[in-house]
Amino acid sequence: MQRPGFAQAWQALEEEYAALATLLQARSEAGLTQEEVAARMGTTKSAVSRLEASLRSPTHSPSFATLRKYAHACGKRLVVTMV
C-alpha cells in the first residue's frame, strides 16, 4: 500500500531525474568527461559535477544560461518543453 503523498513526491523527483538523465546522456553521446565539458564551458570540473548533482537537490536550481552552456559544450541545443 502506498503512503499518502508518495505519488506526488515521486512525480516531483521524476522531473529532476529526467533532466539529469538528459544531461548525462548528452555528455555521454558527445563522448566527453566532466573535465572536458568544464573546459568548453570555461569552468571547473567540480562546477560541472555540482551542476549535475544540483538537479537532484531541492535547494539549488541551475540557471537557464548554465544549462544552455552545458548543452552547447556537448554539441547540443537546450530546448524546454512542457507536457
Side-chain angles (χ1 to χ4, degrees):
M1 184 170 148
Q2 281 187 340
R3 292 170 283 171
F6 179 79
Q8 290 171 324
W10 175 251
Q11 283 181 323
L13 287 174
E14 185 178 25
E15 290 177 345
E16 283 86 2
Y17 281 105
L20 174 60
T22 300
L23 261 63
L24 296 178
Q25 181 179 352
R27 183 162 62 82
S28 175
E29 287 175 357
L32 299 171
T33 64
Q34 286 182 338
E35 193 168 75
E36 291 166 325
V37 171
R40 291 177 179 205
M41 291 177 67
T43 190
T44 63
K45 177 188 178 293
S46 62
V48 171
S49 179
R50 279 192 310 273
L51 168 64
E52 292 176 353
S54 72
L55 294 176
R56 297 179 301 227
S57 169
T59 59
H60 178 39
S61 182
S63 71
F64 187 84
T66 299
L67 292 173
R68 182 175 36 221
K69 282 182 185 180
Y70 186 101
H72 290 179
C74 294
K76 304 282 186 180
R77 260 182 348 113
L78 179 63
V79 177
V80 177
T81 60
M82 292 187 199
V83 293

